[in-house]
Amino acid sequence: MNLISWKILTVATLGVAIPWLPSHSLIPTTNHSTTYLSQTSQPIFTFKEPERVPAIIISADGKKLIGGSRSGTIKIWDLQTGKLLNTLTSKSEGVTSLAMGGKNGQILVSGDIDHTVKVWNLSTGKLLLTIAGHSLPVEAVAISPDSKTLVSGSDDRQIQIWNLQTGTRLRTLVGHSDYISRLAISADGKTLVSGSGGNGAAKEQVKLWNLRTGKLLHSMEHPPGIDALAISLDNKVVISGSFGQLVTKDSAINTLKLWELGTGKLLRDFTQNTDSIESIILTPDGRTMITGNFNGKIKFWNWRTGELLSTMRGDTSPVEAIAISPDQKILASSSEDGTIRMWQLP
């Protein structure tokens, strides 16, 4: 099987799951015509897993929901019916992260607590590669747009860059002073963004790297640590989400920030958002940012203007992961208590 010939359809981490779109279809500067879910919206499917499912993505054809569980399994559900189609067993203590790439999105990569990265054929469920190289659990994975390069980030504070076809390590990036919590790769394949977690003692929680050379380009501070990342389709900005710094029991600051990707300059601090951020995605048309929050809310934003468009109560448990179908008709969410919900978007 020649991985080099693959072309990615979707780049997916806990931070972002977006297909490539031409720049002219990106962000409108005026009215939003889309209708969003409201506080009273109800899911079309709800099911409870015995363990947390910290990573979910939707297949490139929009037909399947894939979830990586702390039980060490990867489950695949029919997006229209909620029926369980297949279960992949990683034989580890748990899955932390997922990424999708390859021809027609048929390659699935999982980051595991057993310190490994696993590469799967999504169609057959076959395990293609097990990549070992980290000394602690792998918290984040990402695939380059051409599907030639795999990136992993770990509790060992290292970022490893691999040849996806062979599993050969190409280089190791160091510089974070705490564990690597999130990764994202720009749609043009030039820039890697990494986020580190922690309790706020570490500095420079967001770093920008040249993916090809491994050169560190910029470092930015977003205390206390990064829980979510997303890059705009035009490769101009990166959005970082954090638990933030509590000012009251139910209110936090420094939760959501917008940075210029080329310079690392802070463009916007979403000061009106006082909810701790657990997950971020951008809609496939590039218009809207959706955040999953620690208090169980799901929020819809115009990220260019900073306008909050809608707020929905997803759960009372933190919304660890969210994913949206390529046609923007289905939104999926996964909460810390193991509950997965699918929502029909208007």
Side-chain angles (χ1 to χ4, degrees):
M1 186 174 295
N2 183 9
L3 300 187
I4 292 179
S5 67
W6 294 346
K7 180 179 180 182
I8 194 167
L9 293 185
T10 306
V11 176
T13 67
L14 287 178
V16 59
I18 50 177
W20 184 88
L21 289 173
S23 59
H24 67 264
S25 65
L26 291 178
I27 312 303
T29 57
T30 55
N31 295 333
H32 261 264
S33 60
T34 308
T35 302
Y36 302 97
L37 296 176
S38 69
Q39 187 77 14
T40 58
S41 298
Q42 297 296 318
I44 54 176
F45 298 112
T46 299
F47 41 94
K48 183 75 176 291
E49 288 296 297
E51 301 283 347
R52 291 169 52 197
V53 183
I56 57 172
I57 52 178
I58 291 175
S59 61
D61 62 8
K63 295 181 178 180
K64 302 179 185 70
L65 174 69
I66 302 106
S69 169
R70 286 300 175 95
S71 67
T73 61
I74 298 170
K75 292 187 177 182
I76 303 170
W77 295 274
D78 186 290
L79 197 62
Q80 296 299 319
T81 66
K83 179 182 177 182
L84 180 63
L85 301 175
N86 198 5
T87 300
L88 313 181
T89 302
S90 70
K91 297 181 180 179
S92 77
E93 297 177 15
V95 176
T96 63
S97 48
L98 296 172
M100 186 186 299
K103 184 179 180 180
N104 299 320
Q106 292 305 304
I107 293 303
L108 181 69
V109 171
S110 62
D112 284 17
I113 291 178
D114 68 0
H115 312 176
T116 69
V117 178
K118 295 180 174 67
V119 182
W120 308 81
N121 183 306
L122 187 57
S123 294
T124 65
K126 181 181 178 180
L127 178 63
L128 303 177
L129 287 173
T130 297
I131 303 173
H134 287 286
S135 60
L136 289 172
V138 175
E139 297 289 350
V141 289
I143 300 174
S144 63
D146 61 7
S147 288
K148 293 181 179 180
T149 305
L150 166 66
V151 184
S152 58
S154 167
D155 288 350
D156 63 14
R157 305 181 184 182
Q158 294 185 350
I159 299 168
Q160 304 282 1
I161 301 180
W162 313 87
N163 180 307
L164 181 56
Q165 177 182 1
T166 64
T168 302
R169 179 162 41 205
L170 303 176
R171 64 184 61 88
T172 299
L173 308 183
V174 294
H176 281 288
S177 56
D178 216 317
Y179 69 93
I180 310 302
S181 57
R182 297 292 183 265
L183 296 169
I185 298 174
S186 60
D188 60 11
K190 295 180 179 180
T191 306
L192 169 69
V193 183
S194 59
S196 63
N199 58 12
K203 301 296 183 181
E204 300 178 341
Q205 292 88 354
V206 182
K207 292 184 182 292
L208 310 180
W209 312 79
N210 182 303
L211 180 61
R212 183 179 62 84
T213 66
K215 179 182 177 181
L216 178 62
L217 303 174
H218 302 286
S219 297
M220 301 95 84
E221 292 189 19
H222 189 170
I226 301 304
D227 292 299
L229 290 171
I231 301 175
S232 65
L233 296 175
D234 60 0
N235 308 299
K236 291 184 178 180
V237 301
V238 57
I239 305 160
S240 59
S242 170
F243 187 84
Q245 298 160 308
L246 290 176
V247 291
T248 69
K249 178 183 177 183
D250 301 313
S251 178
I253 59 173
N254 288 326
T255 58
L256 193 58
K257 295 180 184 290
L258 181 74
W259 313 86
E260 188 172 51
L261 189 64
T263 66
K265 178 183 177 181
L266 180 64
L267 300 177
R268 177 178 295 111
D269 188 341
F270 291 75
T271 55
Q272 73 273 39
N273 183 68
T274 58
D275 296 335
S276 298
I277 300 294
E278 291 283 311
S279 48
I280 299 173
I281 59 170
L282 300 179
T283 55
D285 64 5
R287 293 171 180 263
T288 307
M289 173 177 69
I290 307 175
T291 59
N293 301 304
F294 183 79
N295 60 8
K297 294 178 182 178
I298 297 173
K299 293 185 176 182
F300 297 79
W301 304 81
N302 179 330
W303 59 260
R304 172 167 284 186
T305 65
E307 178 189 3
L308 177 61
L309 303 171
S310 179
T311 300
M312 177 182 70
R313 169 63 68 180
D315 200 345
T316 57
S317 178
V319 181
E320 286 196 293
I322 43 181
I324 191 168
S325 60
D327 62 6
Q328 302 189 176
K329 293 183 178 180
I330 300 292
L331 178 72
S333 67
S334 177
S335 299
E336 197 174 74
D337 64 0
T339 303
I340 294 175
R341 293 175 172 84
M342 298 185 199
W343 315 79
Q344 184 75 51
L345 293 175

